[in-house]
Amino acid sequence: MFQLNRRSRLFCISILSLCSVFWANAAFARTSLQLETGEVISFDGGSLDMATGSGQMTGVIIEDRGEIILSADYLNIAAEGTPGSVDWMIRDLQMKNAEFPEAQMFINEVVLRDIAVGEFSRDTPTTDVQGVVTEDTLARLRNISIEADEALISIDQISTLPITLGMLGEGQQVVTDGGIAVSGLTIMPLNTGNDRPPFLDELEARGITEVTADLEVSGGIRSDGTHLQLGYDLLIDIRDLAGLSFGFDMQIDSNVYSQLLPMLENPEDNAAAMLGISGAVALTNAEFVIDDRGLLDIMMGLAAAEEGISEAEYRTTARFAAVQSLQALFPEKSPLLTVPLEDFMQQGGRLNIAMMPAQPVPLSGFIGFMMLPDLAIDQLGVQVAHTR
């Protein structure tokens, strides 16, 4: 068997000792850089171009006055311009396993693409999106978890919807389509004490230990030459409990809009601009839909328990109160509203409230509707329907 003599053994031990010291120092060596904004960024491996903010790093920590505000396993940034300045633009950012200690938040993946983040450093916001976003702009966060005092919150994904850009007169660029979608927003209550809300007990009685919702907000704008057509939609789905959707379309005179837009950017002219918009913007249609899948039963049961009466008695009382209020507010048109509303309160299901005026109704006209509510039903083309 091969054996080392004493001198050889001492030489090998010395080499191994030096190697162990080298690797130990390498393991703990971190690059630290002072950012223009005052924060300190440090990382285990990789590099960062301080001129543009571009780089690829592992084991990233960002500190502000000694407090860790962000840590991530991996951060890759491709950027242009100067960090902290108006011209700074992130072309591509990818971050893995990001933690925000102060917010008690963890994000498994962050993706940002084509976002002019420097624009957010302006003292006054701008309504001109040119240069702020592109049709390739994307912001996506996946697998988010947040620790709140009384609940654990998780989100499967938050993402911007596809963006399209268009021109509106005199070279003004606007977002013609865009929005944001949130999927798998789950809330798991942690409250088990005496102050635990009864609503949570009602959910557990139905086998629901956490509430999960999906939501989407979107909007668009079109021009027919003389008018701008604006539309917005909100969709919320509370899984196993209820759904809600709300959407409306409006139109505004293109010339008036172009004149009022600069005023909106000036805080001193905001009030005058908003007054002008109320007369220039008109509602073309709107729809509000509630789809009950059990949430109404829970709310009725809780309200009845609080009043110390049966759920059936409470439903009757609530329906009677709603009918009386509508009859007082709409003395002539109340049957159009009360019949479907009573059915919904009694049976659940789907309640649809639509506004389809024969002609666009200026927002300034809604002030008059407050004095003549019955007129509003006719002018707005209100229709209410209940389905199971």
Side-chain angles (χ1 to χ4, degrees):
M1 181 179 294
F2 177 77
Q3 292 183 339
L4 294 174
N5 57 34
R6 182 174 181 275
R7 179 173 294 180
S8 298
R9 289 199 302 272
L10 290 174
F11 176 77
C12 290
I13 290 171
S14 298
I15 294 297
L16 291 173
S17 298
L18 289 173
C19 287
S20 65
V21 171
F22 170 79
W23 287 113
N25 287 335
F28 289 99
R30 290 181 61 83
T31 301
S32 295
L33 299 171
Q34 181 85 35
L35 302 179
E36 290 287 339
T37 52
E39 295 87 358
V40 174
I41 182 171
S42 62
F43 45 91
D44 291 331
S47 62
L48 176 65
D49 180 3
M50 294 292 287
T52 64
S54 300
Q56 184 174 350
M57 297 155 281
T58 59
V60 181
I61 294 177
I62 299 178
E63 298 176 82
D64 182 16
R65 287 169 288 200
E67 296 289 332
I68 296 177
I69 59 176
L70 166 66
S71 65
D73 289 349
Y74 172 81
L75 176 60
N76 184 17
I77 306 178
E80 299 172 358
T82 305
S85 300
V86 174
D87 68 342
W88 195 45
M89 183 163 192
I90 293 179
R91 288 298 180 186
D92 187 72
L93 180 150
Q94 299 178 44
M95 185 162 51
K96 295 286 188 180
N97 297 331
E99 292 189 44
F100 301 83
E102 186 174 350
Q104 295 184 294
M105 179 168 62
F106 170 85
I107 306 176
N108 174 252
E109 179 188 59
V110 177
V111 174
L112 301 178
R113 189 178 302 145
D114 273 15
I115 300 179
V117 292
E119 289 290 337
F120 300 112
S121 65
R122 290 184 183 273
D123 294 333
T124 57
T126 176
T127 55
D128 186 0
V129 301
Q130 188 171 4
V132 179
V133 297
T134 73
E135 292 191 340
D136 293 323
T137 293
L138 171 69
R140 184 178 66 221
L141 313 178
R142 284 180 173 166
N143 299 325
I144 306 166
S145 60
I146 304 170
E147 292 186 27
D149 292 337
E150 298 181 352
L152 294 178
I153 302 171
S154 65
I155 305 172
D156 292 342
Q157 178 172 287
I158 301 176
S159 179
T160 53
L161 298 175
I163 292 174
T164 58
L165 302 177
M167 306 302 294
L168 294 180
E170 298 186 2
Q172 183 191 17
Q173 191 176 45
V174 298
V175 175
T176 55
D177 288 289
I180 187 170
V182 180
S183 60
L185 168 59
T186 300
I187 301 176
M188 180 183 293
L190 299 176
N191 193 329
T192 57
N194 295 330
D195 58 344
R196 176 181 169 88
F199 178 72
L200 301 180
D201 296 326
E202 290 292 330
L203 289 178
E204 285 194 2
R206 289 165 170 78
I208 301 174
T209 57
E210 57 187 29
V211 177
T212 301
D214 307 299
L215 64 93
E216 182 177 301
V217 181
S218 60
I221 182 171
R222 298 287 185 273
S223 175
D224 61 9
T226 58
H227 290 90
L228 300 181
Q229 309 293 333
L230 300 89
Y232 298 92
D233 291 286
L234 168 66
L235 303 172
I236 301 176
D237 178 47
I238 307 174
R239 300 179 191 177
D240 302 320
L241 290 173
L244 182 148
S245 65
F246 175 64
F248 62 90
D249 294 304
M250 300 183 297
Q251 72 174 29
I252 180 172
D253 183 276
S254 299
N255 292 329
V256 174
Y257 179 78
S258 61
Q259 293 172 9
L260 293 176
L261 191 61
M263 298 175 66
L264 290 173
E265 297 183 11
N266 187 346
E268 296 179 358
D269 296 331
N270 267 341
M274 293 304 296
L275 183 61
I277 285 177
S278 68
V281 176
L283 178 74
T284 56
N285 64 76
E287 185 177 42
F288 178 72
V289 179
I290 303 175
D291 185 9
D292 176 61
R293 306 186 207 113
L295 182 60
L296 185 60
D297 287 343
I298 295 176
M299 302 307 294
M300 288 288 185
L302 290 173
E306 187 173 341
E307 295 292 330
I309 58 178
S310 69
E311 183 178 334
E313 289 178 298
Y314 185 83
R315 282 181 184 272
T316 300
T317 303
R319 292 202 317 273
F320 181 72
V323 169
Q324 278 194 318
S325 297
L326 289 175
Q327 287 176 340
L329 188 59
F330 305 97
E332 297 178 12
K333 302 294 183 179
S334 59
L336 174 70
L337 311 175
T338 57
V339 173
L341 180 60
E342 280 191 281
D343 291 341
F344 176 74
M345 295 179 68
Q346 178 64 28
Q347 307 169 22
R350 185 183 180 93
L351 183 68
N352 184 298
I353 304 173
M355 297 182 187
M356 295 181 288
Q359 299 293 331
V361 179
L363 297 186
S364 56
F366 282 75
I367 298 175
F369 293 153
M370 296 175 63
M371 296 181 287
L372 298 169
D374 278 316
L375 179 63
I377 301 297
D378 289 331
Q379 292 290 318
L380 295 173
V382 176
Q383 299 180 12
V384 184
H386 169 259
T387 55
R388 286 291 294 167

